[in-house]
Amino acid sequence: MNLDHILKELAGDHQELKIMEVCGTHTSSIFKNGIRSLLSPKIRLISGPGCPVCVTPASYIDKAIEWAMTPNYVLLTFGDMMKVPGSEKSLSEAKADGARVEIMYSPQEALKKAAANPELTYVIACVGFETTIPSYALVIEQTERSGLTNIKFLTALRRVMPALDFICATDNEISAFIAPGHVSTILGSQAYAGLTEQYMKPFAVAGFEGEHILIAIYDLVKQVENHKHEVHNLYPSVVKPEGNAVALAYINNYFESGQAFWRGIGVIEDSGLYLNQKYRKYDAGSADLAGDTAQKTTNCRCGEVILGKINPDECPMFGKVCTPAKAQGPCMVSSEGTCGIWFRFTRK
Ligand code: SF4
């Protein structure tokens, strides 16, 4: 099937279709390649909850700030967490107020820092989906081996499958899904088989080039129009049906699942991962946040954006009071956040 044929087909007449791309990297590529403009107006692409920073609760930011303000404690975080609003302030604002926050490029930096500064305790802000969770597990393993006692892990780790299950169960309008690419490398394409079966929605696992995404959309459109609901792995060079056994073993060895609160969405059962009993001694209070559903009332509509109910430009604050420089919600902050991606690609 050549690309010209696919483009012609996708621009042609279709039934109304809503296809969710779950992952922020796909959203970014869709904009970069102008894919929306190539589709029939009846094929609507909506973005999903594939940005871990966007769903991290305000109470987690508050807890991170609490550690950073504690004498002899240092919070290590990736840069995209810095501007995420907590209940009162962001990590960036807390740092300006004297909190000890350092940006890391890899969680492994904690090992060197902790060995060099035994008087300080390093709390690693661990936020992510299955893609990044094995790297945190590796640092726990190395911490255990090293005998260092001044490293702690503050986790907001989320499992994608329960979130997709939640979306399938609560939104009948979504016709099909472009599966999250990076997460699929860990979980494997067969991880979606249960959802296709239960909810009769097709899934396509796609790469990140424009062409990959167009082929996935074409595949999904054809599946829906032919009343099929299968998982098609269109990225077999990278994604295996069974996933990455080593990474999965790391996740299972160090973490156990439990309920978790997703900012803007609510509690999703079994969607969080927490250090298991054997390694709980390294936890910096993450498990205590599991049932914390407190949410500051704001006009931010990230929850609706994440669930594909509205586009970012339907939020009255988009591009006006909410910009990447002065974000009102996490979806505008992160490089994978839908509002931030829309802002970068649609604003001159
Ligand atoms: Fe929230 Fe800003 Fe997005 Fe509106 S534009 S939903 S305020 S992040």
Side-chain angles (χ1 to χ4, degrees):
M1 182 76 54
N2 71 40
L3 198 58
D4 285 344
H5 176 83
I6 288 176
L7 285 169
K8 204 170 157 210
E9 282 273 318
L10 289 178
D13 195 28
H14 291 278
Q15 66 185 81
E16 298 275 351
L17 283 162
K18 229 169 148 186
I19 298 175
M20 175 177 273
E21 86 274 356
V22 178
C23 143
T25 314
H26 279 142
T27 308
S28 202
S29 183
I30 285 166
F31 275 99
K32 221 180 283 169
N33 290 287
I35 286 177
R36 284 163 181 261
S37 66
L38 302 173
L39 306 178
S40 151
K42 296 226 177 120
I43 303 174
R44 189 169 163 216
L45 298 182
I46 53 170
S47 304
C51 160
V53 169
C54 302
V55 299
T56 300
S59 59
Y60 177 87
I61 304 294
D62 299 344
K63 187 76 185 169
I65 292 173
E66 195 184 309
W67 283 120
M69 297 295 283
T70 305
N72 299 325
Y73 278 75
V74 181
L75 184 91
L76 295 179
T77 179
F78 284 117
D80 58 357
M81 288 296 290
M82 290 297 284
K83 287 188 180 164
V84 176
S87 299
E88 301 297 331
K89 54 175 90 162
S90 65
L91 284 168
S92 190
E93 290 162 334
K95 185 172 173 144
D97 291 344
R100 242 174 147 157
V101 181
E102 292 180 14
I103 291 180
M104 64 180 179
Y105 297 95
S106 156
Q108 292 196 315
E109 289 169 31
L111 295 157
K112 264 192 183 168
K113 286 176 187 273
N117 304 291
E119 74 286 5
L120 298 175
T121 295
Y122 289 85
V123 178
I124 307 175
C126 307
V127 172
F129 292 139
E130 286 91 341
T131 329
T132 45
I133 295 170
S135 66
Y136 295 124
L138 187 63
V139 178
I140 298 164
E141 180 182 75
Q142 291 167 328
T143 302
E144 178 91 341
R145 275 211 200 125
S146 68
L148 289 165
T149 54
N150 56 337
I151 296 179
K152 299 275 179 205
F153 297 80
L154 183 63
T155 65
L157 303 174
R158 300 287 182 266
R159 298 176 61 224
V160 167
M161 296 309 292
L164 289 178
D165 194 322
F166 177 87
I167 289 171
C168 287
T170 53
D171 190 339
N172 263 331
E173 287 182 11
I174 299 174
S175 327
F177 292 84
I178 300 175
H182 296 123
V183 166
S184 299
T185 63
I186 307 294
L187 296 183
S189 54
Q190 273 315 301
Y192 308 102
L195 291 179
T196 56
E197 189 66 24
Q198 186 176 354
Y199 298 105
M200 297 196 289
K201 313 262 188 198
F203 275 72
V205 178
F208 297 100
E209 299 300 326
E211 193 176 325
H212 294 154
I213 296 170
L214 282 167
I215 292 169
I217 294 169
Y218 176 77
D219 176 273
L220 292 169
V221 168
K222 287 290 155 200
Q223 285 209 57
V224 173
E225 290 180 348
N226 292 317
H227 308 288
K228 283 190 172 173
H229 48 88
E230 295 170 355
V231 182
H232 289 170
N233 182 2
L234 306 173
Y235 199 28
S237 57
V238 174
V239 176
K240 305 295 167 219
E242 69 283 7
N244 182 327
V246 175
L248 289 170
Y250 262 99
I251 294 174
N252 292 334
N253 195 35
Y254 289 91
F255 299 100
E256 61 190 28
S257 62
Q259 72 167 35
F261 181 71
W262 294 54
R263 189 196 288 239
I265 299 178
V267 171
I268 303 180
E269 286 307 322
D270 218 27
S271 66
L273 282 172
Y274 303 93
L275 281 163
N276 62 29
Q277 275 310 326
K278 188 169 172 202
Y279 300 103
R280 193 60 65 83
K281 62 187 174 193
Y282 295 113
D283 184 61
S286 327
D288 305 338
L289 301 174
D292 187 352
T293 57
Q295 206 166 183
K296 193 179 164 190
T297 309
T298 72
N299 293 324
C300 170
R301 297 178 67 184
C302 268
E304 291 162 88
V305 171
I306 289 164
L307 293 173
K309 304 236 178 264
I310 62 165
N311 285 331
D313 60 356
E314 292 172 69
C315 168
M317 297 200 278
F318 177 78
K320 299 182 182 95
V321 287
C322 184
T323 64
K326 186 114 189 64
Q328 303 298 313
C331 300
M332 186 59 88
V333 177
S334 165
S335 58
E336 292 187 324
T338 307
C339 297
I341 294 170
W342 273 64
F343 187 89
R344 284 198 300 282
F345 286 101
T346 62
R347 309 276 300 188
K348 298 277 179 254

